[in-house]
Amino acid sequence: MSDLPRKAVTRTAKLAALPLGIAGRATWGFGKRIVGESAELVGRELQQRTAEQLFKVLGELKGGAMKFGQALSVFESALPEEVAGPYRAALTKLQEAAPPMPTRTVHAVLEERLGEGWHELFLEFEDKPAAAASIGQVHRGVWHDGREVAVKVQYPGAGEALLSDLNQLSRFSRLLGPLIPGMDIKPLIAELKDRVSEELDYDLEAQAQQAHAEEFTDDPDVVVPQVVHQSDQVLVTEWMDGVPLSEIISDGTPEQRNRAGQLLARFLFSGPARTGLLHADPHPGNFRLLPGGPEGEDDWRLGVLDFGTVDRLPGGLPATIGESLRMTLDGEAEAVYELLCAEGFVKETIELDPDAVMDYLLPIIEPAQVEEFTFTRGWMRSQAARVADPRSPAYQLGKQLNLPPSYLLIHRVTLSTIGVLCQLGATVRLREELEEWLPGFVPEDPVDGEEAVAQA
């Protein structure tokens, strides 16, 4: 019954062929250099050919290969346009679809997990999948109480395929590094591997989704479908229509792009504050724009899907983030440096110049310095180039900074969300969201603090 593991040899062969293909193209590039073509042109053509093969293979394989591809896809903004443009369509496919699981396999999983009479739970069930992703696919149906539902069915053997793919990819992660300037691929793969068990646990996913659904019930800006039923490899939730964010990125109006960007930033920072959970898979396939926002049917709300990966933050985002961001904006170099040292961002064995650290941070936090900021691919590329160029002071300093384990997922989610904002080209009032939702960003009123102490 297991479609993914049965093809394990084929999967391994396809992934193993990637570094061979990369090496072959490098030889081809060397030949082009010998005959006089410029290093820059050859480098870009090499990068483009490598990316085309990589995303084609990742999309075909589902499992960990596709999960890795989705994680990479939000960083395409960092690539030169002539490289990113030709395979943007392949990235969109990675975010929205994968080859479907055979109907007989779907039925077998449903029978095993919901019982022989599983059909009786539905008034309607569509065998053709509405969406397919890295570890499962979604079918549309009507629950026995008349509600339209999304039925998420996990691929048999998905866990084995996830780990196998990620182990294989980690072996040649250094070869993939040049695809995304300024990003270290190996920690990304390691972090994805650490999350495999959570990703496969539909009970944990149901709990996280229901917590968000209850908190955001009647919210004017964010919609999260309610959980209807959960049973091991099957998760049934309310159906949600809407325009996929990938379509807004490719064809949306400026108004839609800006609204989507504002709500994405709002959800990133408000979610942990309101639920104690951080949605940790912010690629465009997991978001929709729905009509019916605060201004009426012509306004938009953000629909959020897939809570398979979350970071549990009972107190919301760490106050250290807000405090260090605020002090950086205020130019308090020494205070920022002391806080980074205390939190482990600077190891005890390393000593850095606080002003140099400030110079490193300021360009990154530019969106928080102004009332509204337009996120663009050009801005993302400039940031990536700054930290990826070995000749750059930012590169040298960045190599000496440390990212504590407790901040790993927060860091990736924030970078991924910024990547999506740049794909949208959205103008966002980010500072407004930080002031509302980020602990430590707005200094505590001394009077309020004294009253709280007196009451205690």
Side-chain angles (χ1 to χ4, degrees), residues 73-136:
S73 72
V74 297
F75 296 107
E76 59 89 0
S77 303
L79 292 168
E81 180 60 27
E82 58 270 31
V83 174
Y87 65 88
R88 193 163 287 143
L91 293 174
T92 300
K93 288 177 184 176
L94 267 175
Q95 294 163 356
E96 283 294 332
M101 179 166 40
T103 300
R104 67 180 183 281
T105 306
V106 175
H107 287 187
V109 174
L110 291 171
E111 183 174 325
E112 182 181 342
R113 299 304 177 186
L114 301 181
E116 291 184 8
W118 68 268
H119 271 294
E120 297 173 10
L121 295 172
F122 301 91
L123 298 178
E124 296 176 23
F125 182 86
E126 296 182 9
D127 284 334
K128 182 180 179 182
S134 55
I135 66 164

Side-chain angles (χ1 to χ4, degrees), residues 18-351:
L18 280 173
L20 296 176
I22 294 170
R25 279 187 295 280
T27 304
W28 167 86
F30 180 67
K32 300 271 276 190
R33 290 281 304 281
I34 288 175
V35 298
E37 293 202 20
S38 79
E40 184 178 5
L41 286 176
V42 172
R44 286 180 176 174
E45 192 170 350
L46 187 62
Q47 194 178 37
Q48 182 176 324
R49 290 184 175 210
T50 301
E52 285 172 353
Q53 184 200 6
L54 173 67
F55 287 107
K56 180 176 182 293
V57 170
L58 296 183
E60 286 174 350
L61 291 181
K62 298 185 285 196
M66 186 177 177
K67 177 62 65 177
F68 172 67
Q70 288 174 336
L72 279 188
S73 72
V74 297
F75 296 107
E76 59 89 0
S77 303
L79 292 168
E81 180 60 27
E82 58 270 31
V83 174
Y87 65 88
R88 193 163 287 143
L91 293 174
T92 300
K93 288 177 184 176
L94 267 175
Q95 294 163 356
E96 283 294 332
M101 179 166 40
T103 300
R104 67 180 183 281
T105 306
V106 175
H107 287 187
V109 174
L110 291 171
E111 183 174 325
E112 182 181 342
R113 299 304 177 186
L114 301 181
E116 291 184 8
W118 68 268
H119 271 294
E120 297 173 10
L121 295 172
F122 301 91
L123 298 178
E124 296 176 23
F125 182 86
E126 296 182 9
D127 284 334
K128 182 180 179 182
S134 55
I135 66 164
Q137 64 188 38
V138 177
H139 294 257
R140 191 166 187 166
V142 179
W143 197 239
H144 57 79
D145 63 5
R147 281 183 288 176
E148 283 194 83
V149 292
V151 186
K152 189 172 179 180
V153 183
Q154 191 175 118
Y155 303 127
E160 187 181 331
L162 271 170
L163 280 174
S164 173
D165 289 354
L166 293 172
N167 284 333
Q168 184 78 5
L169 286 164
S170 67
R171 292 189 186 106
F172 54 89
S173 57
R174 292 178 67 181
L175 289 170
L176 302 176
L179 282 177
I180 308 293
M183 183 177 181
D184 193 346
I185 299 292
K186 196 155 191 173
L188 170 62
I189 296 174
E191 196 247 304
L192 290 174
K193 285 170 63 177
D194 289 343
R195 297 282 165 175
V196 165
S197 59
E198 285 191 25
E199 186 86 12
L200 296 165
D201 191 331
Y202 279 4
D203 181 47
L204 283 177
E205 179 172 349
Q207 292 175 32
Q209 179 158 339
Q210 190 59 26
H212 280 85
E214 290 172 4
E215 174 59 37
F216 286 93
T217 297
D218 300 325
D219 189 278
D221 299 315
V222 176
V223 181
V224 179
Q226 297 276 344
V227 174
V228 175
H229 183 81
Q230 182 273 321
S231 177
D232 280 347
Q233 291 172 300
V234 178
L235 176 60
V236 183
T237 64
E238 292 179 337
W239 181 264
M240 185 170 66
D241 284 310
V243 184
L245 209 60
S246 54
E247 292 184 19
I248 302 299
I249 288 171
S250 59
D251 302 311
T253 66
E255 292 76 17
Q256 288 175 320
R257 292 169 182 272
N258 292 342
R259 179 66 174 161
Q262 190 70 42
L263 295 184
L264 197 60
R266 184 166 302 164
F267 181 69
L268 168 66
F269 291 106
S270 71
R274 296 173 64 173
T275 67
L277 299 167
L278 173 68
H279 182 288
D281 197 6
H283 73 78
N286 288 337
F287 299 97
R288 303 282 185 269
L289 269 195
L290 293 75
E295 304 299 321
E297 283 302 304
D298 292 334
D299 198 4
W300 298 92
R301 297 173 294 164
L302 183 73
V304 186
L305 302 168
D306 199 339
F307 291 81
T309 306
V310 298
D311 200 3
R312 286 162 180 80
L313 303 167
L317 290 165
T320 300
I321 297 174
E323 291 167 2
S324 58
L325 182 54
R326 167 173 52 83
M327 291 189 295
T328 302
L329 291 172
D330 291 342
E332 300 177 27
E334 293 286 349
V336 171
Y337 183 66
E338 287 178 12
L339 189 58
L340 293 178
C341 289
E343 286 294 309
F345 287 91
V346 180
K347 292 184 177 180
E348 293 180 3
T349 55
I350 292 176
E351 188 170 335

